């Protein structure tokens, strides 16, 4: 028996075949590619969803994180509200009693603070999703006077008067008065007089009477109306109308 031939045959049989190696390598590459495709698909879908959400937030409804207690008890620190950006887009304007978010540049703050562009972009995106606090120039307050209104505080019973009619401000924070400081102002056309519901802790139009613009917020600076509470779960729902100014008439006798 040829033992040398037998050993040679055994050695050849133990060597990996070239075709087998190629198939194994192809299988590994195909497997890796197959595992990458789902991840890529998930990434693309995630980016698309984020873009849609950001566009929706920019033009339709934006979440807004309440950063302070100036609107208590109506809105509390940490609440997420949904701001309706279409509320005033089709001819109607802000009305007395509306709770709105607005850009206070030029009225509540003189100018926007300098900020790193990349940081500003990241913060803006997070703010648009309600994951971070709003910009330092954004505020949430209640509309108390619209263009042409005369707003006076206070009458003999400590109430605000708008065009001579006392306001029934049942939304005020318990223990607060309508205002600790008296004032008598006429709201210029195209502007709004804003106040917080927690009057003793709200920096609002009253605090800017001596500033450029006299504390009046231009209507075009309004970002949108707060229509819904989106968080926490126990408070989810629509923001109820105040009704505090239902009897107020516009200057000149027309119903306001």
């Amino acid at each position: 028996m040829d033992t040398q031939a037998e050993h040679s045959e055994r050695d050849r049989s133990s060597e990996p075949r070239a075709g087998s190696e190629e198939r194994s390598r192809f299988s590994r590459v195909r497997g890796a590619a197959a595992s990458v495709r789902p991840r890529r698909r998930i990434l693309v879908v995630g980016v698309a969803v984020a873009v849609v959400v950001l566009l929706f937030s920019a033009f339709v409804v934006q979440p807004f994180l309440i950063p302070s207690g100036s609107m208590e008890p109506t809105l509390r620190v940490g609440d997420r509200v949904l701001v309706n950006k279409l509320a005033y887009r089709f001819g109607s304007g802000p009305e007395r009693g509306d709770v709105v978010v607005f850009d206070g540049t030029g009225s509540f703050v003189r100018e926007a603070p300098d900020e790193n562009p990349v940081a500003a972009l990241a913060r803006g995106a997070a703010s648009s999703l309600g994951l971070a606090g709003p910009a330092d120039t954004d505020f949430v307050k209640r509309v108390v006077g619209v263009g042409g209104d005369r707003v006076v505080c206070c009458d003999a019973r400590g109430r605000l008067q708008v065009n001579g009619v006392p306001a029934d401000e049942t939304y005020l924070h318990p223990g607060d008065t309508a205002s600790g400081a008296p004032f008598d102002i006429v709201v210029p056309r195209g502007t709004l007089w804003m106040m917080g519901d927690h009057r003793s802790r709200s920096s609002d139009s009253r605090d800017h009477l001596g500033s450029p613009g006299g504390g009046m917020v231009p209507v075009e600076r309004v970002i949108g109306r707060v229509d819904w509470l989106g968080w926490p779960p126990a408070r989810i729902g629509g923001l109820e109308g105040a009704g505090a100014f239902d009897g107020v008439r516009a200057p000149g006798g027309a119903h306001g």
Side-chain angles (χ1 to χ4, degrees), residues 24-212:
S24 176
R25 189 179 300 115
F26 177 74
S27 297
R28 287 198 299 271
V29 171
R30 187 172 59 179
S35 66
V36 166
R37 266 188 239 111
R39 290 199 295 269
R40 186 178 299 161
R41 201 174 300 125
I42 291 170
L43 179 62
V44 170
V45 171
V47 170
V49 169
V51 169
V52 170
V53 170
L54 286 172
L55 288 173
F56 188 80
S57 174
F59 298 105
V60 185
V61 174
Q62 178 182 344
F64 187 90
L65 174 65
I66 301 301
S68 75
S70 69
M71 282 296 295
E72 290 176 342
T74 306
L75 303 175
R76 302 171 187 168
V77 177
D79 280 354
R80 265 75 169 180
V81 298
L82 300 178
V83 179
N84 181 359
K85 291 189 168 183
L86 300 179
Y88 308 124
R89 292 283 176 88
F90 304 103
S92 63
E95 299 179 355
R96 304 177 201 94
D98 287 355
V99 176
V100 302
V101 172
F102 62 94
D103 178 0
T105 305
S107 56
F108 280 36
V109 292
R110 292 193 175 183
E111 57 185 29
D114 292 333
E115 190 174 3
N116 179 283
V118 176
L121 183 63
R123 183 202 50 74
S127 177
S128 295
L129 298 174
L131 302 176
D136 291 339
T137 56
D138 289 348
F139 298 85
V140 57
K141 302 292 179 190
R142 189 180 296 275
V143 178
V144 171
V146 298
D149 283 348
R150 182 184 180 189
V151 185
V152 179
C153 190
C154 296
D155 67 9
R157 293 176 54 187
R159 299 172 297 179
L160 278 181
Q161 286 188 326
V162 181
N163 302 332
V165 177
D168 184 21
E169 297 188 284
T170 57
Y171 46 72
L172 290 183
H173 191 277
D176 275 4
T177 60
S179 177
F183 58 86
D184 185 343
I185 58 97
V186 175
V187 184
R189 297 289 179 183
T191 66
L192 304 166
W193 177 262
M194 303 285 201
M195 299 181 76
D197 291 355
H198 198 344
R199 297 285 158 81
S200 62
R201 293 186 59 186
S202 175
S203 178
D204 49 40
S205 290
R206 297 168 296 168
D207 297 276
H208 301 280
L209 281 168
S211 304

